[in-house]
Amino acid sequence: MLQADKQVLLAGVKQQALELRQKELDFNVERYTNLATQASVVAGFSFESLVELEVPEDCPWLLSSAYFVCGSCAMALSLYCLCVGSFATVFGHRLALQGPHGSLERAVHILVAHRNHLFFVAGLSLVFLVFAAVLMSWIKMGAAASVVSCVFIAFAVAVARRMNSMVHLFEIPESMLVTGAVRVNAGNNPLGAIDLSQLNPGSPRGVATA
């Protein structure tokens, strides 16, 4: 009877700890989904610009080549974000839901570990898109190209400076960052702090072992 009550208690504690981890998983999945959506828009713009632009015959080959290279890079990088982000959301959810014991925490760690890489690639695709827009102005807009180029460059600089400023405003020190992990000290336990989401109600000690 006592063993059954202990298992019920541990199962309830573990379920509540997993609910916190689930919120963290949903948060990261939403970020990946938003990034994939924005990447699809950039990929669409890049593809449209590559297909629809008619290069004048008197356009220098170096200028047109640089334009197509930048447009292709913007499209390729945005498609990379779209594919990898979509893959991560689908298989991250699958791992968390259908994986063995501890898979939810593993899925969260994987998503967190790869998000900065995807954000960097997405930012790089926008940089190439702006470069392509500047080159497009010199190919198609004649005398207005210098003004249009200044507009695009000013836009890119303003966005970069504002985002850099907001990153510092929203920054959370590593020591104060709150995650979905719920750990408690276990006294003289040689394993140290115990993650409640790793509890194993079927174990006599209630702690999952590797």
Side-chain angles (χ1 to χ4, degrees):
M1 182 65 180
L2 287 177
Q3 182 63 28
D5 290 341
K6 287 181 181 180
Q7 291 182 359
V8 171
L9 175 62
L10 292 175
V13 172
K14 179 178 180 178
Q15 181 180 6
Q16 294 179 10
L18 289 175
E19 288 176 356
L20 294 177
R21 270 299 190 187
Q22 181 65 42
K23 291 181 179 180
E24 189 175 11
L25 176 70
D26 293 340
F27 167 72
N28 284 284
V29 166
E30 184 178 0
R31 296 176 74 179
Y32 274 72
T33 302
N34 292 338
L35 186 62
T37 302
Q38 295 171 13
S40 66
V41 174
V42 175
F45 282 146
S46 302
F47 178 78
E48 189 74 14
S49 64
L50 291 173
V51 173
E52 296 297 331
L53 180 67
E54 297 181 0
V55 180
E57 294 183 358
D58 58 345
C59 177
W61 70 269
L62 186 61
L63 182 60
S64 60
S65 298
Y67 167 78
F68 285 117
V69 168
C70 289
S72 299
C73 288
M75 180 178 173
L77 292 172
S78 56
L79 286 176
Y80 176 88
C81 288
L82 174 60
C83 295
V84 175
S86 301
F87 183 92
T89 56
V90 172
F91 283 88
H93 260 144
R94 177 178 178 271
L95 175 63
L97 182 63
Q98 298 180 317
H101 182 76
S103 294
L104 177 56
E105 184 170 1
R106 181 185 167 201
V108 171
H109 284 315
I110 293 173
L111 293 177
V112 171
H114 289 82
R115 67 186 180 191
N116 288 337
H117 167 72
L118 276 186
F119 288 156
F120 174 78
V121 174
L124 198 59
S125 69
L126 292 177
V127 171
F128 278 110
L129 184 64
V130 172
F131 282 161
V134 171
L135 293 170
M136 179 267 296
S137 67
W138 287 98
I139 293 174
K140 297 289 291 184
M141 298 183 182
S146 57
V147 177
V148 175
S149 297
C150 290
V151 171
F152 282 125
I153 293 174
F155 159 77
V157 172
V159 170
R161 292 186 61 182
R162 181 58 57 183
M163 290 182 64
N164 183 64
S165 174
M166 294 181 69
V167 164
H168 291 292
L169 291 174
F170 288 117
E171 184 179 7
I172 303 175
E174 191 67 27
S175 59
M176 301 177 64
L177 183 64
V178 179
T179 67
V182 182
R183 293 183 173 88
V184 295
N185 293 324
N188 296 326
N189 185 8
L191 299 178
I194 297 176
D195 190 343
L196 295 183
S197 64
Q198 297 293 321
L199 292 176
N200 186 1
S203 173
R205 295 184 179 181
V207 180
T209 57

